[in-house]
Amino acid sequence: MRNKRLFIIVVLTLFLSHVRAQEWMTVGPYLQELTTDGVTVVYEHGIPSVSWIEVREKGSSEITEYYQTVNGRVKAYSQILNSKNSAVPVQNFAVRAEGLKPATTYEYRIKAHKVLSENSNGVSAGTSFSGVYTGSWYQFTTQDPHQSEHHLFITSDMHNRPDTLEALLKYLDYQTCDRIIYNGDMINYMQHGSQEPYKGFINTSVNLFAKNKPFEYLRGNHETRGDMSRHIMEYFPRKSGNIYNAYRWGDLEVVLLDGGEALPDDNPTARNTFLAAYNAYRREEAQWLEQLIQTEEYQTAKYRIVVSHLPIPNATTDESQAGAKFFADLMTPILNRANVDLLVCGHLHPDTYTFLDATEEATFPTLVQGYNSALRMEVAEGKITLKVVDENGTVLLEKTL
């Protein structure tokens, strides 16, 4: 009888611990912006909290704590107003660990204290057993600066179809990919509820790989819309503070371009509802790109891949897509001088894919991904090999550049 009682107590304790963990960790963790010396851990809590991460080199007991700070203060629970003017709790954390060693495996876990009250002086955090959270250990490996072999997965235009995304990841053996890039329109709107990025693609990524391996995310025109759209950098943070970015991964340079909204700025919906002011933003991005291609980092790369949700060569002349055309007209002459090996785009929703060879107008080859497809790219030994599959696993393209 005593053993039976003990067994019930153990089972009940484990169950309650599981329930408490679910209440705390509602989303994530997922990794972002992995570099040679750091990584960002993103997650969301269901309990108002002050939270941080602990990191240790694998095999070591020495732990370093990292906090997210905003203007000199540790981030804690707060609220924003949604489209219905109702308070929505913001317990999203994006904690950056830096000062790490390259090509090294680390372990991390999440810690938190419950916020008991909030007032003009700050917050009061609990320290009792029920007010403290300690997560499981996960691991990641920092970028190797000498990496000369790359395996990339790229897809776009999932439009809130997590099952299709999962199938494409599995067909292209995501477990052996070292970089996964989501190239925009992964959901229909950045909106709390059914269209939120968690349900659309983040949860799928977390369940498969994102606790241990990052994904890179580019905004599509659909993600410029919705009550979460103004908070996009909280979910997909960049050290630079910009959605557009560039990374040197070993001997590979990857440039991520952000075209913003495809509608023209003076479109009534874009202007009055979306408050669009993208042309000035695109000009700023073009200046950044012009400077980037002159840097030593860019010019010494062996391979150069550009990823953009909005198409650049052969952009549509449809007046409703004038924002996309403006973006393409800005970027094309710069990319023509940038010795680009491949541009990967989305947005146009071809049935399978469209491949465009380099021309005088666009001096780089372009792959436009389809609505139901994904790309695996192998970069090594002076070659770039492409494999495109559809949602049924059918191979649509195999090509070496």
mmCIF file of all heavy atoms in Angstrom, residues 3-49:
data_model
loop_
_atom_site.group_PDB
_atom_site.id
_atom_site.type_symbol
_atom_site.label_atom_id
_atom_site.label_comp_id
_atom_site.label_asym_id
_atom_site.label_seq_id
_atom_site.Cartn_x
_atom_site.Cartn_y
_atom_site.Cartn_z
ATOM 1 N N ASN A 3 3.927 1.587 -1.101
ATOM 2 C CA ASN A 3 4.557 1.748 -2.411
ATOM 3 C C ASN A 3 3.578 2.298 -3.435
ATOM 4 O O ASN A 3 3.943 3.088 -4.309
ATOM 5 C CB ASN A 3 5.127 0.413 -2.893
ATOM 6 C CG ASN A 3 6.344 0.003 -2.100
ATOM 7 O OD1 ASN A 3 6.993 0.843 -1.477
ATOM 8 N ND2 ASN A 3 6.655 -1.288 -2.100
ATOM 9 N N LYS A 4 2.313 1.868 -3.321
ATOM 10 C CA LYS A 4 1.295 2.333 -4.256
ATOM 11 C C LYS A 4 1.059 3.822 -4.061
ATOM 12 O O LYS A 4 0.938 4.593 -5.019
ATOM 13 C CB LYS A 4 0.000 1.557 -4.040
ATOM 14 C CG LYS A 4 -1.085 1.917 -5.065
ATOM 15 C CD LYS A 4 -2.318 1.048 -4.866
ATOM 16 C CE LYS A 4 -3.390 1.409 -5.906
ATOM 17 N NZ LYS A 4 -4.607 0.575 -5.712
ATOM 18 N N ARG A 5 0.983 4.250 -2.765
ATOM 19 C CA ARG A 5 0.802 5.668 -2.459
ATOM 20 C C ARG A 5 1.974 6.499 -2.991
ATOM 21 O O ARG A 5 1.807 7.573 -3.551
ATOM 22 C CB ARG A 5 0.687 5.848 -0.938
ATOM 23 C CG ARG A 5 -0.737 6.191 -0.499
ATOM 24 C CD ARG A 5 -0.779 6.633 0.951
ATOM 25 N NE ARG A 5 -1.543 5.707 1.744
ATOM 26 C CZ ARG A 5 -1.043 4.884 2.634
ATOM 27 N NH1 ARG A 5 0.258 4.871 2.861
ATOM 28 N NH2 ARG A 5 -1.809 4.056 3.305
ATOM 29 N N LEU A 6 3.180 5.969 -2.800
ATOM 30 C CA LEU A 6 4.383 6.655 -3.278
ATOM 31 C C LEU A 6 4.360 6.800 -4.794
ATOM 32 O O LEU A 6 4.703 7.841 -5.348
ATOM 33 C CB LEU A 6 5.627 5.896 -2.831
ATOM 34 C CG LEU A 6 6.979 6.521 -3.203
ATOM 35 C CD1 LEU A 6 7.108 7.904 -2.579
ATOM 36 C CD2 LEU A 6 8.112 5.621 -2.752
ATOM 37 N N PHE A 7 3.932 5.735 -5.466
ATOM 38 C CA PHE A 7 3.843 5.749 -6.926
ATOM 39 C C PHE A 7 2.858 6.828 -7.384
ATOM 40 O O PHE A 7 3.134 7.593 -8.319
ATOM 41 C CB PHE A 7 3.408 4.375 -7.439
ATOM 42 C CG PHE A 7 3.138 4.343 -8.916
ATOM 43 C CD1 PHE A 7 4.180 4.319 -9.833
ATOM 44 C CD2 PHE A 7 1.832 4.377 -9.414
ATOM 45 C CE1 PHE A 7 3.939 4.293 -11.197
ATOM 46 C CE2 PHE A 7 1.581 4.350 -10.760
ATOM 47 C CZ PHE A 7 2.640 4.309 -11.658
ATOM 48 N N ILE A 8 1.700 6.909 -6.711
ATOM 49 C CA ILE A 8 0.682 7.901 -7.081
ATOM 50 C C ILE A 8 1.215 9.307 -6.879
ATOM 51 O O ILE A 8 1.016 10.194 -7.704
ATOM 52 C CB ILE A 8 -0.606 7.672 -6.258
ATOM 53 C CG1 ILE A 8 -1.263 6.351 -6.674
ATOM 54 C CG2 ILE A 8 -1.579 8.839 -6.455
ATOM 55 C CD1 ILE A 8 -2.429 5.947 -5.794
ATOM 56 N N ILE A 9 1.943 9.522 -5.771
ATOM 57 C CA ILE A 9 2.505 10.840 -5.495
ATOM 58 C C ILE A 9 3.513 11.239 -6.572
ATOM 59 O O ILE A 9 3.523 12.372 -7.057
ATOM 60 C CB ILE A 9 3.170 10.854 -4.101
ATOM 61 C CG1 ILE A 9 2.097 10.746 -3.012
ATOM 62 C CG2 ILE A 9 3.994 12.125 -3.908
ATOM 63 C CD1 ILE A 9 2.667 10.536 -1.627
ATOM 64 N N VAL A 10 4.375 10.288 -6.969
ATOM 65 C CA VAL A 10 5.376 10.572 -8.002
ATOM 66 C C VAL A 10 4.697 10.921 -9.321
ATOM 67 O O VAL A 10 5.056 11.900 -9.992
ATOM 68 C CB VAL A 10 6.323 9.371 -8.173
ATOM 69 C CG1 VAL A 10 7.204 9.577 -9.412
ATOM 70 C CG2 VAL A 10 7.189 9.195 -6.936
ATOM 71 N N VAL A 11 3.694 10.116 -9.707
ATOM 72 C CA VAL A 11 2.990 10.365 -10.968
ATOM 73 C C VAL A 11 2.291 11.715 -10.933
ATOM 74 O O VAL A 11 2.348 12.493 -11.900
ATOM 75 C CB VAL A 11 1.977 9.231 -11.255
ATOM 76 C CG1 VAL A 11 1.079 9.609 -12.437
ATOM 77 C CG2 VAL A 11 2.706 7.936 -11.544
ATOM 78 N N LEU A 12 1.628 12.017 -9.808
ATOM 79 C CA LEU A 12 0.918 13.288 -9.680
ATOM 80 C C LEU A 12 1.894 14.464 -9.735
ATOM 81 O O LEU A 12 1.624 15.481 -10.374
ATOM 82 C CB LEU A 12 0.141 13.310 -8.370
ATOM 83 C CG LEU A 12 -0.748 14.541 -8.125
ATOM 84 C CD1 LEU A 12 -1.778 14.677 -9.236
ATOM 85 C CD2 LEU A 12 -1.436 14.439 -6.769
ATOM 86 N N THR A 13 3.048 14.320 -9.095
ATOM 87 C CA THR A 13 4.063 15.377 -9.108
ATOM 88 C C THR A 13 4.563 15.634 -10.527
ATOM 89 O O THR A 13 4.701 16.772 -10.965
ATOM 90 C CB THR A 13 5.247 15.005 -8.201
ATOM 91 O OG1 THR A 13 4.776 14.817 -6.874
ATOM 92 C CG2 THR A 13 6.305 16.108 -8.215
ATOM 93 N N LEU A 14 4.825 14.537 -11.264
ATOM 94 C CA LEU A 14 5.284 14.681 -12.643
ATOM 95 C C LEU A 14 4.222 15.324 -13.512
ATOM 96 O O LEU A 14 4.511 16.173 -14.363
ATOM 97 C CB LEU A 14 5.671 13.309 -13.210
ATOM 98 C CG LEU A 14 6.931 12.677 -12.621
ATOM 99 C CD1 LEU A 14 7.092 11.243 -13.137
ATOM 100 C CD2 LEU A 14 8.162 13.499 -12.966
ATOM 101 N N PHE A 15 2.966 14.946 -13.281
ATOM 102 C CA PHE A 15 1.870 15.514 -14.062
ATOM 103 C C PHE A 15 1.736 17.010 -13.804
ATOM 104 O O PHE A 15 1.623 17.812 -14.732
ATOM 105 C CB PHE A 15 0.556 14.806 -13.722
ATOM 106 C CG PHE A 15 -0.659 15.442 -14.340
ATOM 107 C CD1 PHE A 15 -0.923 15.295 -15.700
ATOM 108 C CD2 PHE A 15 -1.526 16.220 -13.578
ATOM 109 C CE1 PHE A 15 -2.036 15.901 -16.275
ATOM 110 C CE2 PHE A 15 -2.633 16.824 -14.149
ATOM 111 C CZ PHE A 15 -2.888 16.659 -15.497
ATOM 112 N N LEU A 16 1.770 17.390 -12.520
ATOM 113 C CA LEU A 16 1.647 18.802 -12.178
ATOM 114 C C LEU A 16 2.822 19.606 -12.712
ATOM 115 O O LEU A 16 2.665 20.746 -13.151
ATOM 116 C CB LEU A 16 1.541 18.955 -10.663
ATOM 117 C CG LEU A 16 0.229 18.453 -10.030
ATOM 118 C CD1 LEU A 16 0.309 18.536 -8.516
ATOM 119 C CD2 LEU A 16 -0.968 19.240 -10.551
ATOM 120 N N SER A 17 4.013 19.014 -12.697
ATOM 121 C CA SER A 17 5.186 19.693 -13.250
ATOM 122 C C SER A 17 5.012 19.932 -14.737
ATOM 123 O O SER A 17 5.359 20.982 -15.273
ATOM 124 C CB SER A 17 6.451 18.868 -12.999
ATOM 125 O OG SER A 17 6.693 18.733 -11.622
ATOM 126 N N HIS A 18 4.433 18.919 -15.428
ATOM 127 C CA HIS A 18 4.193 19.042 -16.866
ATOM 128 C C HIS A 18 3.176 20.144 -17.140
ATOM 129 O O HIS A 18 3.355 20.966 -18.047
ATOM 130 C CB HIS A 18 3.702 17.711 -17.421
ATOM 131 C CG HIS A 18 3.305 17.753 -18.866
ATOM 132 N ND1 HIS A 18 4.215 17.943 -19.876
ATOM 133 C CD2 HIS A 18 2.087 17.660 -19.465
ATOM 134 C CE1 HIS A 18 3.590 17.951 -21.047
ATOM 135 N NE2 HIS A 18 2.304 17.788 -20.815
ATOM 136 N N VAL A 19 2.101 20.166 -16.343
ATOM 137 C CA VAL A 19 1.085 21.199 -16.513
ATOM 138 C C VAL A 19 1.680 22.577 -16.270
ATOM 139 O O VAL A 19 1.452 23.519 -17.027
ATOM 140 C CB VAL A 19 -0.113 20.937 -15.570
ATOM 141 C CG1 VAL A 19 -1.064 22.142 -15.566
ATOM 142 C CG2 VAL A 19 -0.855 19.681 -15.990
ATOM 143 N N ARG A 20 2.479 22.717 -15.194
ATOM 144 C CA ARG A 20 3.106 24.001 -14.898
ATOM 145 C C ARG A 20 4.030 24.440 -16.038
ATOM 146 O O ARG A 20 4.067 25.608 -16.410
ATOM 147 C CB ARG A 20 3.888 23.916 -13.584
ATOM 148 C CG ARG A 20 3.021 24.065 -12.335
ATOM 149 C CD ARG A 20 3.888 24.299 -11.118
ATOM 150 N NE ARG A 20 4.684 23.130 -10.778
ATOM 151 C CZ ARG A 20 4.283 22.179 -9.940
ATOM 152 N NH1 ARG A 20 3.087 22.239 -9.383
ATOM 153 N NH2 ARG A 20 5.061 21.156 -9.666
ATOM 154 N N ALA A 21 4.775 23.471 -16.598
ATOM 155 C CA ALA A 21 5.672 23.800 -17.711
ATOM 156 C C ALA A 21 4.885 24.285 -18.916
ATOM 157 O O ALA A 21 5.287 25.236 -19.592
ATOM 158 C CB ALA A 21 6.515 22.581 -18.077
ATOM 159 N N GLN A 22 3.736 23.639 -19.203
ATOM 160 C CA GLN A 22 2.911 24.063 -20.331
ATOM 161 C C GLN A 22 2.350 25.460 -20.103
ATOM 162 O O GLN A 22 2.225 26.250 -21.033
ATOM 163 C CB GLN A 22 1.773 23.068 -20.545
ATOM 164 C CG GLN A 22 2.213 21.753 -21.188
ATOM 165 C CD GLN A 22 1.037 20.861 -21.492
ATOM 166 O OE1 GLN A 22 0.151 20.681 -20.667
ATOM 167 N NE2 GLN A 22 1.008 20.305 -22.679
ATOM 168 N N GLU A 23 1.983 25.768 -18.855
ATOM 169 C CA GLU A 23 1.469 27.092 -18.546
ATOM 170 C C GLU A 23 2.554 28.152 -18.754
ATOM 171 O O GLU A 23 2.287 29.242 -19.235
ATOM 172 C CB GLU A 23 0.972 27.132 -17.097
ATOM 173 C CG GLU A 23 -0.305 26.329 -16.861
ATOM 174 C CD GLU A 23 -0.679 26.251 -15.395
ATOM 175 O OE1 GLU A 23 0.173 26.619 -14.557
ATOM 176 O OE2 GLU A 23 -1.807 25.833 -15.085
ATOM 177 N N TRP A 24 3.774 27.816 -18.379
ATOM 178 C CA TRP A 24 4.867 28.755 -18.553
ATOM 179 C C TRP A 24 5.229 28.903 -20.024
ATOM 180 O O TRP A 24 5.167 29.983 -20.587
ATOM 181 C CB TRP A 24 6.088 28.271 -17.772
ATOM 182 C CG TRP A 24 6.072 28.608 -16.312
ATOM 183 C CD1 TRP A 24 5.674 27.804 -15.281
ATOM 184 C CD2 TRP A 24 6.471 29.841 -15.718
ATOM 185 N NE1 TRP A 24 5.815 28.446 -14.097
ATOM 186 C CE2 TRP A 24 6.306 29.713 -14.317
ATOM 187 C CE3 TRP A 24 6.967 31.034 -16.222
ATOM 188 C CZ2 TRP A 24 6.611 30.729 -13.422
ATOM 189 C CZ3 TRP A 24 7.284 32.053 -15.343
ATOM 190 C CH2 TRP A 24 7.094 31.905 -13.957
ATOM 191 N N MET A 25 5.644 27.812 -20.662
ATOM 192 C CA MET A 25 6.212 27.860 -22.009
ATOM 193 C C MET A 25 5.114 27.632 -23.043
ATOM 194 O O MET A 25 4.810 26.519 -23.419
ATOM 195 C CB MET A 25 7.311 26.813 -22.149
ATOM 196 C CG MET A 25 8.123 26.938 -23.430
ATOM 197 S SD MET A 25 8.990 28.505 -23.617
ATOM 198 C CE MET A 25 10.032 28.478 -22.181
ATOM 199 N N THR A 26 4.495 28.713 -23.499
ATOM 200 C CA THR A 26 3.408 28.586 -24.467
ATOM 201 C C THR A 26 3.918 28.523 -25.899
ATOM 202 O O THR A 26 3.257 27.960 -26.767
ATOM 203 C CB THR A 26 2.432 29.767 -24.320
ATOM 204 O OG1 THR A 26 3.168 31.001 -24.388
ATOM 205 C CG2 THR A 26 1.698 29.695 -22.995
ATOM 206 N N VAL A 27 5.073 29.109 -26.175
ATOM 207 C CA VAL A 27 5.682 29.065 -27.514
ATOM 208 C C VAL A 27 7.192 28.954 -27.363
ATOM 209 O O VAL A 27 7.797 29.656 -26.550
ATOM 210 C CB VAL A 27 5.354 30.321 -28.338
ATOM 211 C CG1 VAL A 27 6.076 30.272 -29.689
ATOM 212 C CG2 VAL A 27 3.858 30.459 -28.555
ATOM 213 N N GLY A 28 7.780 28.076 -28.156
ATOM 214 C CA GLY A 28 9.230 27.978 -28.208
ATOM 215 C C GLY A 28 9.795 26.996 -27.201
ATOM 216 O O GLY A 28 9.069 26.166 -26.666
ATOM 217 N N PRO A 29 11.106 27.162 -26.967
ATOM 218 C CA PRO A 29 11.990 28.187 -27.524
ATOM 219 C C PRO A 29 12.376 27.903 -28.967
ATOM 220 O O PRO A 29 12.364 26.754 -29.396
ATOM 221 C CB PRO A 29 13.215 28.119 -26.614
ATOM 222 C CG PRO A 29 13.259 26.681 -26.173
ATOM 223 C CD PRO A 29 11.831 26.267 -26.030
ATOM 224 N N TYR A 30 12.727 28.978 -29.695
ATOM 225 C CA TYR A 30 13.275 28.795 -31.036
ATOM 226 C C TYR A 30 14.464 29.745 -31.208
ATOM 227 O O TYR A 30 14.502 30.828 -30.629
ATOM 228 C CB TYR A 30 12.228 28.994 -32.127
ATOM 229 C CG TYR A 30 11.502 30.312 -32.154
ATOM 230 C CD1 TYR A 30 11.902 31.353 -32.997
ATOM 231 C CD2 TYR A 30 10.374 30.528 -31.368
ATOM 232 C CE1 TYR A 30 11.213 32.550 -33.042
ATOM 233 C CE2 TYR A 30 9.669 31.727 -31.412
ATOM 234 C CZ TYR A 30 10.091 32.732 -32.255
ATOM 235 O OH TYR A 30 9.400 33.926 -32.301
ATOM 236 N N LEU A 31 15.427 29.299 -32.008
ATOM 237 C CA LEU A 31 16.688 30.021 -32.177
ATOM 238 C C LEU A 31 16.635 30.935 -33.391
ATOM 239 O O LEU A 31 16.059 30.600 -34.425
ATOM 240 C CB LEU A 31 17.851 29.045 -32.322
ATOM 241 C CG LEU A 31 18.054 28.032 -31.185
ATOM 242 C CD1 LEU A 31 19.277 27.176 -31.455
ATOM 243 C CD2 LEU A 31 18.168 28.726 -29.832
ATOM 244 N N GLN A 32 17.283 32.093 -33.245
ATOM 245 C CA GLN A 32 17.387 33.070 -34.321
ATOM 246 C C GLN A 32 18.810 33.601 -34.386
ATOM 247 O O GLN A 32 19.527 33.649 -33.389
ATOM 248 C CB GLN A 32 16.422 34.234 -34.080
ATOM 249 C CG GLN A 32 14.952 33.858 -34.104
ATOM 250 C CD GLN A 32 14.433 33.659 -35.515
ATOM 251 O OE1 GLN A 32 14.115 34.614 -36.222
ATOM 252 N NE2 GLN A 32 14.341 32.406 -35.938
ATOM 253 N N GLU A 33 19.201 34.004 -35.569
ATOM 254 C CA GLU A 33 20.461 34.722 -35.833
ATOM 255 C C GLU A 33 21.664 34.052 -35.156
ATOM 256 O O GLU A 33 22.360 34.641 -34.341
ATOM 257 C CB GLU A 33 20.339 36.179 -35.398
ATOM 258 C CG GLU A 33 21.320 37.069 -36.124
ATOM 259 C CD GLU A 33 21.009 38.548 -36.025
ATOM 260 O OE1 GLU A 33 20.472 38.996 -34.988
ATOM 261 O OE2 GLU A 33 21.315 39.257 -36.985
ATOM 262 N N LEU A 34 21.895 32.818 -35.515
ATOM 263 C CA LEU A 34 23.076 32.087 -35.031
ATOM 264 C C LEU A 34 24.306 32.589 -35.776
ATOM 265 O O LEU A 34 24.338 32.619 -37.007
ATOM 266 C CB LEU A 34 22.893 30.592 -35.276
ATOM 267 C CG LEU A 34 24.064 29.698 -34.896
ATOM 268 C CD1 LEU A 34 24.150 29.566 -33.379
ATOM 269 C CD2 LEU A 34 23.916 28.323 -35.534
ATOM 270 N N THR A 35 25.337 32.976 -35.036
ATOM 271 C CA THR A 35 26.578 33.478 -35.625
ATOM 272 C C THR A 35 27.763 32.719 -35.036
ATOM 273 O O THR A 35 27.584 31.745 -34.304
ATOM 274 C CB THR A 35 26.731 34.986 -35.342
ATOM 275 O OG1 THR A 35 26.799 35.192 -33.920
ATOM 276 C CG2 THR A 35 25.556 35.770 -35.905
ATOM 277 N N THR A 36 28.958 33.166 -35.352
ATOM 278 C CA THR A 36 30.149 32.509 -34.812
ATOM 279 C C THR A 36 30.285 32.714 -33.314
ATOM 280 O O THR A 36 30.926 31.920 -32.628
ATOM 281 C CB THR A 36 31.422 33.036 -35.500
ATOM 282 O OG1 THR A 36 31.482 34.460 -35.333
ATOM 283 C CG2 THR A 36 31.432 32.681 -36.980
ATOM 284 N N ASP A 37 29.684 33.801 -32.796
ATOM 285 C CA ASP A 37 29.894 34.124 -31.380
ATOM 286 C C ASP A 37 28.606 34.337 -30.593
ATOM 287 O O ASP A 37 28.639 34.844 -29.473
ATOM 288 C CB ASP A 37 30.771 35.367 -31.242
ATOM 289 C CG ASP A 37 30.137 36.606 -31.867
ATOM 290 O OD1 ASP A 37 29.076 36.481 -32.518
ATOM 291 O OD2 ASP A 37 30.704 37.699 -31.703
ATOM 292 N N GLY A 38 27.448 33.965 -31.154
ATOM 293 C CA GLY A 38 26.219 34.185 -30.407
ATOM 294 C C GLY A 38 24.997 33.575 -31.048
ATOM 295 O O GLY A 38 25.044 33.038 -32.161
ATOM 296 N N VAL A 39 23.871 33.678 -30.324
ATOM 297 C CA VAL A 39 22.578 33.200 -30.806
ATOM 298 C C VAL A 39 21.504 33.919 -30.002
ATOM 299 O O VAL A 39 21.742 34.364 -28.869
ATOM 300 C CB VAL A 39 22.449 31.662 -30.629
ATOM 301 C CG1 VAL A 39 22.302 31.286 -29.153
ATOM 302 C CG2 VAL A 39 21.290 31.105 -31.438
ATOM 303 N N THR A 40 20.320 34.053 -30.578
ATOM 304 C CA THR A 40 19.174 34.623 -29.875
ATOM 305 C C THR A 40 18.149 33.531 -29.618
ATOM 306 O O THR A 40 17.800 32.786 -30.537
ATOM 307 C CB THR A 40 18.541 35.765 -30.678
ATOM 308 O OG1 THR A 40 19.531 36.769 -30.934
ATOM 309 C CG2 THR A 40 17.382 36.390 -29.923
ATOM 310 N N VAL A 41 17.673 33.456 -28.389
ATOM 311 C CA VAL A 41 16.657 32.478 -27.991
ATOM 312 C C VAL A 41 15.341 33.227 -27.803
ATOM 313 O O VAL A 41 15.262 34.175 -27.019
ATOM 314 C CB VAL A 41 17.047 31.759 -26.684
ATOM 315 C CG1 VAL A 41 15.985 30.716 -26.310
ATOM 316 C CG2 VAL A 41 18.420 31.097 -26.826
ATOM 317 N N VAL A 42 14.309 32.807 -28.542
ATOM 318 C CA VAL A 42 13.006 33.470 -28.512
ATOM 319 C C VAL A 42 11.972 32.508 -27.945
ATOM 320 O O VAL A 42 11.957 31.324 -28.293
ATOM 321 C CB VAL A 42 12.579 33.942 -29.918
ATOM 322 C CG1 VAL A 42 11.301 34.767 -29.847
ATOM 323 C CG2 VAL A 42 13.698 34.742 -30.585
ATOM 324 N N TYR A 43 11.081 33.018 -27.094
ATOM 325 C CA TYR A 43 10.038 32.176 -26.506
ATOM 326 C C TYR A 43 8.965 33.061 -25.912
ATOM 327 O O TYR A 43 9.132 34.282 -25.780
ATOM 328 C CB TYR A 43 10.618 31.256 -25.430
ATOM 329 C CG TYR A 43 11.418 31.956 -24.357
ATOM 330 C CD1 TYR A 43 10.848 32.326 -23.140
ATOM 331 C CD2 TYR A 43 12.772 32.262 -24.563
ATOM 332 C CE1 TYR A 43 11.598 32.973 -22.163
ATOM 333 C CE2 TYR A 43 13.516 32.911 -23.587
ATOM 334 C CZ TYR A 43 12.925 33.260 -22.393
ATOM 335 O OH TYR A 43 13.661 33.904 -21.427
ATOM 336 N N GLU A 44 7.847 32.457 -25.545
ATOM 337 C CA GLU A 44 6.744 33.207 -24.945
ATOM 338 C C GLU A 44 6.208 32.445 -23.745
ATOM 339 O O GLU A 44 6.063 31.220 -23.791
ATOM 340 C CB GLU A 44 5.626 33.431 -25.953
ATOM 341 C CG GLU A 44 4.499 34.299 -25.419
ATOM 342 C CD GLU A 44 3.522 34.715 -26.497
ATOM 343 O OE1 GLU A 44 3.871 35.584 -27.318
ATOM 344 O OE2 GLU A 44 2.408 34.162 -26.517
ATOM 345 N N HIS A 45 5.900 33.180 -22.699
ATOM 346 C CA HIS A 45 5.357 32.593 -21.478
ATOM 347 C C HIS A 45 3.869 32.874 -21.348
ATOM 348 O O HIS A 45 3.390 33.938 -21.748
ATOM 349 C CB HIS A 45 6.071 33.152 -20.249
ATOM 350 C CG HIS A 45 7.405 32.535 -20.006
ATOM 351 N ND1 HIS A 45 8.356 33.104 -19.194
ATOM 352 C CD2 HIS A 45 7.960 31.386 -20.468
ATOM 353 C CE1 HIS A 45 9.436 32.329 -19.171
ATOM 354 N NE2 HIS A 45 9.212 31.293 -19.939
ATOM 355 N N GLY A 46 3.143 31.929 -20.757
ATOM 356 C CA GLY A 46 1.730 32.114 -20.467
ATOM 357 C C GLY A 46 1.495 32.683 -19.091
ATOM 358 O O GLY A 46 0.352 32.928 -18.703
ATOM 359 N N ILE A 47 2.544 32.879 -18.330
ATOM 360 C CA ILE A 47 2.472 33.443 -16.986
ATOM 361 C C ILE A 47 3.299 34.723 -16.971
ATOM 362 O O ILE A 47 4.436 34.719 -17.444
ATOM 363 C CB ILE A 47 3.015 32.441 -15.946
ATOM 364 C CG1 ILE A 47 2.084 31.219 -15.857
ATOM 365 C CG2 ILE A 47 3.181 33.082 -14.577
ATOM 366 C CD1 ILE A 47 2.577 30.126 -14.938
ATOM 367 N N PRO A 48 2.758 35.832 -16.449
ATOM 368 C CA PRO A 48 3.557 37.063 -16.372
ATOM 369 C C PRO A 48 4.882 36.806 -15.666
ATOM 370 O O PRO A 48 4.912 36.227 -14.581
ATOM 371 C CB PRO A 48 2.660 38.003 -15.551
ATOM 372 C CG PRO A 48 1.272 37.494 -15.786
ATOM 373 C CD PRO A 48 1.403 36.009 -15.909
ATOM 374 N N SER A 49 5.976 37.229 -16.287
ATOM 375 C CA SER A 49 7.269 36.784 -15.765
ATOM 376 C C SER A 49 8.411 37.744 -16.082
ATOM 377 O O SER A 49 8.325 38.580 -16.972
ATOM 378 C CB SER A 49 7.604 35.402 -16.344
ATOM 379 O OG SER A 49 7.651 35.462 -17.760
#
